[in-house]
Amino acid sequence: MTDGSEQKRETAASFDAAADAYFDSDTHREGADLDRLAAWCADAQRALDVATGAGHTAGALSRAGVPDVLAADVAPAMLRSARANFGVPGVLADAERLPFSAGAFDAVTCRIAAHHFPDPETFVREVARVLRPGGTFALEDQTAPEEPDLGAFINRVERLRDPTHVEAYTPTQWVEWLEGAGFTVEAVERVKTELDFESWTAAQSLDAGTKAEVAHLLAAATPAARELFEVRTEDGTVRSFANLKLLVRARQ
Ligand SMILES: C[S@@+](CC[C@H](N)C(=O)[O-])C[C@H]1O[C@@H](n2cnc3c(N)ncnc32)[C@H](O)[C@@H]1O
């Protein structure tokens, strides 16, 4: 058993080099999902955005009227982006060991990041600890279908494209961890997003061999995976597919 610290160092280094790309990324900088998470937390006085990346969710919380927003991330360049682009101060912190006292926040957000955490259950318990009673946790992440083969398929594709991808979990797994940490789950929403294969692989600067392997995995998907993930090919070339995301609002 390890605490995942080596993996976290590699993840931090990889993201540290990518702050500008994440700031510009269409998936991250806007969307109904971003507005929804911020709206769920709009009545908070003090909010924490865990794994803030370039700071888009922290910025959305500020725009929604939260007066005191703090960002946390393991990559210093991401925290510099959150401050420079959204005026949000940051703390270098691991999502699984939040350096805050119990009940310090009215709301905690974490958007499109938990699939990088080696121990998401510990992360959920940490969020429960730093939220005040009645506080809101707004979580968004990639998710896996409940059917194990389809889940294994999409995690394999994601890991091959991005070695910092640990795992996308099912909605059932998230709800179990949340309820186990004392949360009441108030809303679970699923979103499907079409991804252009060229842009999706370019964002990770894949070498040609790995890109071909990812394309092969998608092109060789079972009929059920092809249908669920909407794999679209033209003359045998993969053009796009869809990934699944989960939005959860939970009350402490
Ligand atoms: C895709 S970005 C997050 C996007 C961002 N939340 C948004 O809404 O645009 C993933 C972020 O998770 C951070 N991260 C990964 N593992 C982490 C951990 N264990 N603790 C804190 N941050 C972590 C990375 O450094 C990276 O900045």
Side-chain angles (χ1 to χ4, degrees), residues 84-96:
N85 294 305
F86 300 101
V88 173
V91 174
L92 197 63
D94 178 356
E96 297 167 12

Side-chain angles (χ1 to χ4, degrees), residues 8 11 15 22 28 51-53 56-57 73-75 78 93-95 111-113 116-117:
K8 283 176 188 165
T11 297
F15 278 105
Y22 274 90
H28 295 86
T52 196
H56 294 292
T57 305
D73 203 286
V74 286
M78 292 296 193
D94 178 356
R111 175 172 177 254
I112 325 178
H116 299 293
F117 304 164

Side-chain angles (χ1 to χ4, degrees), residues 9 38 99 181 187:
R9 267 194 292 280

Side-chain angles (χ1 to χ4, degrees), residues 142-148 151 167-175 177 246:
Q142 293 178 18
T143 191
E146 302 287 347
E147 210 282 290
E167 188 151 350
Y169 296 94
T170 62
T172 300
Q173 180 64 84
W174 277 115
V175 169
W177 285 330
L246 176 78

Side-chain angles (χ1 to χ4, degrees), residues 21 46 64 73 101 103 107 113 116 132 161 163 181-182 190 193-194 196 203 213 230 232 236 238 247:
R46 185 153 202 254
D73 203 286
S101 52
H116 299 293
R132 67 156 170 82
R161 174 220 178 218
R190 292 169 180 77
T193 313
E194 183 182 329
D196 174 72
E213 255 187 275
E230 299 178 4
R232 193 170 63 79
V238 177
L247 273 70

